[in-house]
Amino acid sequence: MSERYPHRDLSTACYRLPRIPDCIISLDYSPPLLYPEAMDSHTESKTSSQPPFTDPIQLRIPALNLINGSHPGILSTIDERGYPSSRWMATLSADDFPLFYTLTSPQSHKLVHLTKHPQVSWFFFNEDRTLTVSLKGQARILEDVPTLKRIWKHVQDKSLAYFLKQYSEGIGFVAIETQVQDAECSSPGANLRLHLDLNEVATHSRSRSSL
């Protein structure tokens, strides 16, 4: 597999999420671009009297909800020169946690990265940036058709996959499976940090999916 990916046509490798200026450099973005349902509530949250997090244990449930497969995250890989490379990715249902999935084009640069450096990290944050979640693990590329079809069924918003047209004509994507090995959440403004138990995350994910 590692010999195949360097020869891919990379002209269509970009993941077509809305363009967010300087998002990779500063992580400063407009939440409504990524969370449309928060368009009205975001303005209200600035004047809300809701108290900030005051205890690390308060981070647990909001953090678990943030990595439930319904929110986009920043996936970081290591490129051919050893530099980190990050991009926004839509995530899928975490029913199989600590296995975590995302879909991508077969021509994506990150597939080349993963064949040499399977170590990856995921980064999530909430709408007002008072909570962040960091996941670290090992990733692998899934290409077999039965597995891809099973994963595809879990995609809630298929419009996020710009290669949807390709799929209608045949399998036009691959999946990246991350086996999460470490999970940590924090509230930077409150100087709070909490390590998440992977078994607890898995139990929480399965209980949500059964509702």
Side-chain angles (χ1 to χ4, degrees):
M1 182 182 298
S2 61
E3 294 182 0
R4 294 174 56 197
Y5 294 124
H7 300 291
R8 292 180 183 272
D9 176 12
L10 301 177
S11 61
T12 58
C14 295
Y15 194 82
R16 306 281 173 83
L17 285 176
R19 184 178 183 275
I20 306 171
D22 301 325
C23 67
I24 297 303
I25 298 175
S26 65
L27 295 182
D28 187 14
Y29 77 116
S30 175
L33 290 175
L34 296 176
Y35 300 88
E37 70 276 9
M39 187 71 73
D40 297 325
S41 62
H42 177 62
T43 302
E44 296 174 0
S45 67
K46 293 183 178 180
T47 58
S48 173
S49 59
Q50 181 180 2
F53 298 109
T54 58
D55 189 282
I57 199 64
Q58 295 176 330
L59 307 177
R60 187 172 61 86
I61 296 301
L64 295 178
N65 292 334
L66 197 57
I67 55 174
N68 65 2
S70 300
H71 303 287
I74 299 175
L75 171 64
S76 296
T77 57
I78 303 172
D79 70 15
E80 307 92 308
R81 299 179 297 166
Y83 290 103
S85 179
S86 303
R87 76 287 289 165
W88 287 107
M89 296 290 293
T91 58
L92 306 184
S93 172
D95 295 351
D96 297 333
F97 201 91
L99 298 179
F100 204 72
Y101 300 99
T102 189
L103 303 180
T104 190
S105 164
Q107 287 80 39
S108 173
H109 258 116
K110 53 187 164 290
L111 301 183
V112 180
H113 302 171
L114 294 177
T115 58
K116 296 183 179 181
H117 303 286
Q119 302 87 353
V120 299
S121 68
W122 284 90
F123 187 75
F124 300 84
F125 52 91
N126 63 353
E127 297 158 16
D128 59 7
R129 287 161 286 180
T130 58
L131 175 67
T132 69
V133 180
S134 176
L135 307 177
K136 295 181 176 65
Q138 300 277 325
R140 66 180 183 131
I141 303 163
L142 305 179
E143 297 183 283
D144 63 287
V145 173
T147 299
L148 294 180
K149 287 185 175 180
R150 178 180 65 84
I151 295 174
W152 180 257
K153 292 180 180 179
H154 289 281
V155 179
Q156 297 179 4
D157 186 358
K158 292 178 171 58
S159 66
L160 292 176
Y162 75 90
F163 33 81
L164 177 60
K165 182 178 183 296
Q166 295 177 347
Y167 176 73
S168 67
E169 301 168 354
I171 297 297
F173 62 88
V174 298
I176 296 175
E177 176 193 86
T178 301
Q179 173 139 17
V180 178
Q181 299 171 328
D182 184 76
E184 186 177 76
C185 61
S186 67
S187 180
N191 196 28
L192 299 175
R193 190 177 299 272
L194 178 68
H195 190 270
L196 297 174
D197 181 87
L198 298 184
N199 291 326
E200 184 179 19
V201 178
T203 300
H204 181 80
S205 301
R206 285 191 289 268
S207 64
R208 285 180 57 90
S209 64
S210 62
L211 296 178

